[in-house]
Amino acid sequence: MVNFGLSAAKALEDGKIDGFWANGMGTEVAVRRGVGAVVLDVRRGDGPKPCFDYTMSSLAATDRLIEQSPETASAAIRAIVKTQAALKEDVSRAAAVDASSFRRRKRS
């Protein structure tokens, strides 16, 4: 199993990404390694109050990626919009995807 926050902190350290939205563990690792900084912490009251309960992953892209590969950026946005719409229509799909992902990881 891979922890997103820890993987994102490592990718940030390696210069593969410019930033990430993560849980406390990934954030703390990036900050302690000196490669990251907390820009927004809804747990401290930053941002709108409803964000406190927001734990869903998000997508970030550099301006360079958007400028050099607008078709890739557009495809990513379309994929997220379609995924969110499908989950809104039937939230149980999330459990089905997780179970399928777990089975694939177990076989590897």
Side-chain angles (χ1 to χ4, degrees):
M1 187 179 292
V2 175
N3 178 288
F4 167 77
L6 297 178
S7 296
K10 178 67 174 143
L12 184 65
E13 187 173 24
D14 293 345
K16 294 179 179 176
I17 61 174
D18 296 323
F20 63 93
W21 175 314
N23 60 17
M25 185 187 324
T27 303
E28 186 67 18
V29 168
V31 169
R32 285 187 182 219
R33 289 182 179 170
V35 296
V38 176
V39 176
L40 176 72
D41 188 346
V42 295
R43 298 166 302 165
R44 293 188 312 217
D46 299 344
K49 288 186 189 270
C51 288
F52 185 84
D53 296 315
Y54 183 79
T55 59
M56 184 178 201
S57 299
S58 65
L59 175 71
T62 62
D63 288 338
R64 184 183 58 185
L65 175 102
I66 295 166
E67 291 166 5
Q68 291 179 353
S69 301
E71 66 289 340
T72 299
S74 294
I77 292 168
R78 286 192 305 274
I80 290 171
V81 169
K82 286 180 182 180
T83 300
Q84 290 174 337
L87 289 171
K88 187 174 182 180
E89 182 181 296
D90 181 3
V91 73
S92 69
R93 289 178 171 147
V97 170
D98 186 54
S100 173
S101 175
F102 178 75
R103 285 191 296 276
R104 282 194 307 271
R105 284 191 307 258
K106 213 167 175 177
R107 280 185 261 152
S108 302

